Amino acid sequence: MNGKKIFAVAFACASVVLFSDVAIAGQGVKQDAKDAGHAVGNGARDVGHATAHAAKAVGHGAKEAGQGIGHGAKVVGHGVAHGTREGWDATKHAVKHVFGKDN
């Protein structure tokens, strides 16, 4: 073999070794990027679940507070209605008594 052929074979071998290392490193980078993507996706999903849980807790608290306020207003409304009715009955009775129509 002459020097040109030896150089060509050596260059071909070196190229194969160099590109195989690059290809293997490329696969490693590709796998690392894939793993990082999965980790980011999982983290984002966890944040989404936590946000949804917090929103539901706030929503349920607001609902319960609203129902409590509504129930309190209903009770007060009934109290006012009963008081008004009793006042009206007392006034009606007094007027009948004054005018002598209370039988």
Side-chain angles (χ1 to χ4, degrees), residues 21-35:
D21 287 343
V22 170
I24 290 170
Q27 278 299 112
V29 170
K30 181 180 174 183
Q31 186 61 43
D32 290 345
K34 184 177 177 182
D35 292 342

Side-chain angles (χ1 to χ4, degrees), residues 15-95:
S15 297
V16 167
V17 169
L18 178 67
F19 288 121
S20 67
D21 287 343
V22 170
I24 290 170
Q27 278 299 112
V29 170
K30 181 180 174 183
Q31 186 61 43
D32 290 345
K34 184 177 177 182
D35 292 342
H38 283 294
V40 168
N42 291 341
R45 185 186 65 239
D46 292 344
V47 168
H49 287 167
T51 303
H53 179 72
K56 286 177 187 175
V58 169
H60 288 161
K63 175 186 171 194
E64 290 173 6
Q67 286 176 338
I69 291 168
H71 182 70
K74 177 181 173 186
V75 170
V76 169
H78 282 285
V80 169
H82 286 290
T84 303
R85 182 63 185 189
E86 288 174 1
W88 170 251
D89 288 343
T91 303
K92 186 170 69 171
H93 179 70
V95 168

